Amino acid sequence: MTDPITLGVIALIVLVALIAIRIPIAYAMILVGGIGVTMMDGPALMLSQLKTLAYGQFSIYDLSVVPMFVLMGALASRAGLSRALFRAANAWLGWMPGGTAMASIASCAGFGAVCGSSLATAVTMGRVALPELSRYNYSGALATGSLAAGGVLGILIPPSVVLIVYAVIVEASIVDMFAAALLPGILAVILFLLTIAIYVAINPKAGPAHGGVDPGEFREATIGVIPVLLIFGIVLGGIYAGLYTPTPAAAIGVVMVWLYGAVTRQVRIGELVESLKETAGTTGMIYLILLGAEMMKIFMSRAGLPQAMATWIIESGHAPMTVMILLLIGLIALGCLMDSLSMILLVIPFFWPVLSELNGGIYQAADGAAFGMSTEDLKIWFGIIA
């Protein structure tokens, strides 16, 4: 019989190959995980796992927040919130060189706060912002690059579906995950804006200023973005204040976005039905990926590959920063092949044991501190929120 570690490595290579030839990530993980468990322990164990695995995975209460936030994003894209965000951001920033591209970043951040999906943020804001960027003669590279970069903010700015799924899998607090992601999200926005400013300073023709808007339009655009700020404040403010948990908060957000769309007559019965269909399809896809990830996790745990990887890295004596850089390089490479949710679910079984060991293993000093940081600081730094 093949050594379990070797079998795990072969399975990982096969999984990446299947993804590279465009096999959906969920089916690839279910196939590789199922065959791997069968080869190690026989078909009886795999069938036993399949009998209860799906129900056990999908009946977790915390996962009920996923369809709520997906529905909120679907309604927001039809309620005109994206247009209101871009209009306000463009009124505030458009007078500067590269300002409309900066407005795209700012509006992506705002839409991400009521959407939670990178793909939905990029697609929705692309429909709104790209025609304006073209109208102001922005270069294609700057226009599309700004929207692609801004779409990333959908999984950083809370609430985020990816953060929710990550928190559920590693048994962390969703509220703590939201709090931990807020600062990196704001930092990413600032760095994107600075990058655009530097790029336009080097190549002025890439992002000309449009001269600003008149005071009446400026005032109207600013007032138009108040509902978005209100929804964001009530949903996340209530979570952080302890008034309600993420699931009720998401339900409140859905109702508020729907009411806004109904009042502005942009979300009628047809749009509501389409939003529900979109939510069902997206949620089903996420849950199927979760099932595949769980099967891969079971197989890899039985093969011992994640534990062996963690032990090897820790015993290598590399500094935590070196390990983090290597892990990030691996994520960048995987990001060329798959979307963010699929990538994170794939790497959690391997990266999580490593991060846990870095926080609590040989790098932890006897007095509870390491590298000038307390244990809690290390947990936050490594993304390990107890």
Side-chain angles (χ1 to χ4, degrees):
M1 179 180 177
T2 306
D3 176 69
I5 300 295
T6 304
L7 183 61
V9 172
I10 294 172
L12 191 59
I13 295 172
V14 171
L15 178 62
V16 174
L18 290 175
I19 296 170
I21 62 173
R22 312 298 293 176
I23 300 296
I25 179 70
Y27 301 145
M29 289 194 293
I30 291 173
L31 181 64
V32 173
I35 293 176
V37 172
T38 301
M39 291 182 64
M40 288 188 62
D41 301 290
L45 178 61
M46 186 197 70
L47 294 175
S48 175
Q49 291 284 353
L50 288 176
K51 182 173 65 175
T52 58
L53 187 61
Y55 176 80
Q57 188 74 8
F58 303 152
S59 61
I60 299 173
Y61 172 74
D62 287 343
L63 279 180
S64 62
V65 73
V66 172
M68 288 290 99
F69 278 126
V70 172
L71 179 57
M72 187 166 74
L75 288 171
S77 65
R78 291 171 171 82
L81 291 177
S82 56
R83 287 187 294 274
L85 280 165
F86 180 75
R87 187 183 178 194
N90 200 29
W92 280 88
L93 301 171
W95 58 272
M96 297 185 293
T100 305
M102 295 181 185
S104 301
I105 296 293
S107 54
C108 281
F111 191 75
V114 293
C115 175
S117 166
S118 290
L119 183 59
T121 299
V123 171
T124 302
M125 294 310 307
R127 294 194 188 110
V128 175
L130 199 55
E132 290 297 306
L133 290 165
S134 298
R135 185 162 73 92
Y136 291 120
N137 296 318
Y138 275 63
S139 70
L142 180 58
T144 55
S146 299
L147 291 169
V152 175
L153 300 171
I155 65 169
L156 278 178
I157 304 292
S160 165
V161 172
V162 173
L163 288 177
I164 293 167
V165 173
Y166 179 85
V168 169
I169 291 177
V170 302
E171 300 179 0
S173 166
I174 295 176
V175 177
D176 287 344
M177 289 301 304
F178 283 176
L182 192 57
L183 182 58
I186 295 173
L187 181 62
V189 172
I190 295 172
L191 291 176
F192 284 156
L193 296 180
L194 288 175
T195 301
I196 292 173
I198 294 171
Y199 182 83
V200 174
I202 297 172
N203 185 10
K205 293 183 179 180
H210 65 58
V213 296
D214 61 75
E217 186 177 349
F218 180 87
R219 183 170 55 254
E220 185 180 350
T222 302
I223 293 173
V225 82
I226 291 177
V228 181
L229 300 177
L230 188 63
I231 293 169
F232 178 77
I234 290 176
V235 172
L236 284 187
I239 293 175
Y240 293 146
L243 298 178
Y244 31 72
T245 59
T247 300
I252 292 171
V254 168
V255 172
M256 291 184 68
V257 174
W258 174 73
L259 286 175
Y260 173 83
V263 169
T264 58
R265 298 183 178 181
Q266 297 186 79
V267 178
R268 303 177 188 272
I269 296 299
E271 286 76 17
L272 179 60
V273 171
E274 288 300 315
S275 297
L276 290 171
K277 289 181 179 178
E278 180 183 328
T279 300
T282 303
T283 303
M285 175 196 70
I286 292 173
Y287 280 13
L288 191 61
I289 294 174
L290 278 171
L291 178 62
E294 188 65 20
M295 291 192 66
M296 279 296 298
K297 186 168 72 173
I298 291 171
F299 164 56
M300 288 300 175
S301 296
R302 298 185 72 83
L305 185 59
Q307 297 87 339
M309 178 180 173
T311 301
W312 175 74
I313 290 177
I314 296 302
E315 291 180 350
S316 67
H318 293 303
M321 184 63 73
T322 302
V323 176
M324 289 296 293
I325 291 173
L326 292 174
L327 295 182
L328 290 173
I329 291 173
L331 288 173
I332 291 172
L334 287 174
C336 299
L337 299 174
M338 61 188 73
D339 65 276
S340 55
L341 177 60
S342 302
M343 177 177 63
I344 289 174
L345 291 177
L346 177 63
V347 302
I348 280 177
F350 305 98
F351 286 9
W352 179 249
V354 175
L355 296 175
S356 299
E357 286 294 328
L358 285 175
N359 180 70
I362 62 173
Y363 294 102
Q364 184 66 47
D367 61 356
F371 311 104
M373 295 187 287
S374 67
T375 300
E376 292 304 313
D377 290 335
L378 283 169
K379 287 182 178 180
I380 294 173
W381 197 83
F382 283 119
I384 304 171
I385 310 297

